[in-house]
Amino acid sequence: MASHPGHDFWRSWWCDLFGSPDPVAAAFSRLGLAGFALAALPFWVELPRFLPAARRSASVARALGIAAFLGLGVVARTAGGTREHGLAILAACAPALPAILLVIRCQALRHQTRPAAWLGAAMLLVSSANFVQYVREQWLGAPEWAGLPAGQKVATLLIVVWVGASLRTE
């Protein structure tokens, strides 16, 4: 994946340091991704509380979100750039997509949470485009696009902002 030496925030993947010859860098890189997953867990667990008018949909989204959280934990345990890593990413994304779509749908139905729905839609658009290009490169042999790791960072920022905006009750 990364074709340059060292780590560059915008040109390197979050997982590029997983296989670093520096064991400290590799350990902190894995710990960072695991920390990101752990930080998302309370959001999924508490989700129905933030969408009381759509408790059933929020409960389904919670179950799917927790499954995605578990998949992200597997991503943190696999070596970046390997087939296993790609499959772990796919396993984490499979339940995340319907979970996020459910939450955005619930948010879009209520005036008070509609801004969070727009943020979620932007996050989903950037994340999906990033994921599709990742699959094209990893499994379909498409040429590498240098902007893909930067897209990952933008998607991550949008995820954090969307989660924060979603923590508003109706």
Side-chain angles (χ1 to χ4, degrees), residues 14-20 22-38 72-82 85:
W14 289 128
C15 58
D16 278 353
L17 290 175
F18 284 11
S20 171
D22 179 354
V24 174
F28 274 110
S29 179
R30 288 181 191 279
L31 187 61
L33 184 57
F36 182 73
L38 282 172
L72 199 53
V74 175
V75 171
R77 297 180 54 84
T78 58
T82 64
H85 187 72

Side-chain angles (χ1 to χ4, degrees), residues 85-120:
H85 187 72
L87 290 172
I89 291 170
L90 183 60
C93 289
L97 177 62
I100 292 166
L101 284 170
L102 269 171
V103 174
I104 292 170
R105 181 186 150 276
C106 294
Q107 291 171 330
L109 294 174
R110 304 283 300 167
H111 175 71
Q112 297 90 331
T113 55
R114 205 162 290 143
W118 282 107
L119 280 169

Side-chain angles (χ1 to χ4, degrees), residues 1-22:
M1 292 289 281
S3 57
H4 53 82
H7 185 78
D8 179 287
F9 182 80
W10 292 107
R11 297 185 323 163
S12 299
W13 294 94
W14 289 128
C15 58
D16 278 353
L17 290 175
F18 284 11
S20 171
D22 179 354

Side-chain angles (χ1 to χ4, degrees), residues 40-41 44-45 59-71 92 95-96 98-100:
L41 183 60
W44 293 112
V45 169
S59 293
V60 171
R62 172 178 50 194
L64 291 166
I66 290 171
F69 153 77
L70 295 171
I100 292 166

